[in-house]
Amino acid sequence: MIIAIDGPAASGKGTLARRVAVHFGLRHLDTGALYRAVARDTLAQGGDLTSASIAAIAAARLDAATLRDPGLRTTGLGEAASVVARHPEVRAVLIEYQRNFARADPGAVIDGRDIGTVICPDADAKLFVTATPEERAHRRFLELKERDSGIEEEAVLADIRSRDDRDRNRAVAPLVQAEDAALLDTTNLAIDAAFRAAIDLIEAAMGRAGRAG
Ligand code: CDP
């Protein structure tokens, strides 16, 4: 079973994906960590994020054991990730890892930007998780404030808007709701309510797939 969860920055898709994976006994892959790690490694080698060839080499050499590095979650790397994520060469290198992860038993919940559209177009269930930019900025601000008391909510909102813009308007694998994805707007939902709504939408999608098959 493969469940694809896409959505913009700080929409809550990561937290939902982790809980959905536990609920169904599936593995979980946060694909944002792949792009963040490529950005981290490109910068560590003194490379230019806008160079497709340098970033693609970092992608090819990516060590999956470093994907759990908590240092990946900084705002700077989120922004840097969206720069390397624009390169088709980088995305092409990362496709196989993501598809292999999805195919391995017992199945997976994969979250990102292009999972339902490009990586796993045949996923058993697809969710597109969203919330207003202001709500997403507020959530990300509360999360980041724990580590950096000097952080300002307006700066977080500006980062979210610039990332939304870059992710939605890039030429390859832009952030867009798949035609067959269910929309989950979490603006007014606390995490437990969002989780229950996600499970209902996934079960409904699987029920439809079961009837069709
Ligand atoms: O956690 P947050 O939503 O802030 O970001 P993330 O999921 O860690 O993704 C960081 C950046 O990686 C995004 O802004 C995208 O530019 C890129 N990304 C992508 O292009 N495709 C994916 N499947 C996942 C992330």
Side-chain angles (χ1 to χ4, degrees):
M1 176 157 87
I2 299 174
I3 300 174
I5 304 189
D6 290 302
S11 54
K13 64 189 182 317
T15 308
L16 277 178
R18 265 187 300 279
R19 286 188 62 172
V20 167
V22 171
H23 179 84
F24 289 108
L26 301 171
R27 293 145 63 247
H28 169 234
L29 178 63
D30 160 15
T31 62
L34 298 171
Y35 295 90
R36 288 171 180 267
V38 169
R40 173 200 62 199
D41 296 351
T42 303
L43 293 170
Q45 283 147 28
D48 177 357
L49 297 171
T50 64
S51 160
S53 55
I54 292 176
I57 291 172
R61 291 184 182 156
L62 193 64
D63 175 0
T66 68
L67 293 176
R68 295 192 184 281
D69 169 8
L72 288 179
R73 296 300 313 165
T74 63
T75 310
L77 277 185
E79 184 74 13
S82 73
V83 177
V84 296
R86 278 193 307 202
H87 304 310
E89 297 85 345
V90 169
R91 306 198 74 85
V93 170
L94 298 177
I95 282 183
E96 199 178 313
Y97 179 84
Q98 296 173 81
R99 290 195 177 145
N100 285 342
F101 190 99
R103 276 195 290 258
D105 282 341
V109 179
I110 314 225
D111 76 78
R113 301 290 187 287
D114 62 341
I115 309 307
T117 50
V118 176
I119 303 296
C120 301
D122 298 327
D124 301 282
K126 299 180 186 179
L127 286 187
F128 193 81
V129 182
T130 187
T132 60
E134 291 75 14
E135 176 59 26
R136 290 187 279 124
H138 185 62
R139 290 179 193 161
R140 185 55 50 95
F141 166 72
L142 294 178
E143 197 182 305
L144 293 171
K145 207 172 64 159
E146 305 214 332
R147 273 180 282 153
D148 173 5
S149 57
I151 195 124
E152 288 184 12
E153 191 162 335
E154 264 182 37
V156 179
L157 179 58
D159 167 67
I160 295 242
R161 285 193 196 281
S162 89
R163 243 168 1 113
D164 279 1
D165 188 54
R166 204 175 280 147
D167 291 348
R168 290 199 169 108
N169 294 310
R170 68 181 171 222
V172 179
L175 170 67
V176 61
Q177 182 179 349
E179 266 178 29
D180 52 351
L183 180 65
L184 176 55
D185 185 336
T186 67
T187 305
N188 296 309
L189 296 180
I191 183 64
D192 281 340
F195 171 67
R196 279 193 301 275
I199 297 297
D200 287 348
L201 290 169
I202 291 165
E203 284 179 344
M206 292 195 303
R208 275 195 301 277
R211 278 197 300 280

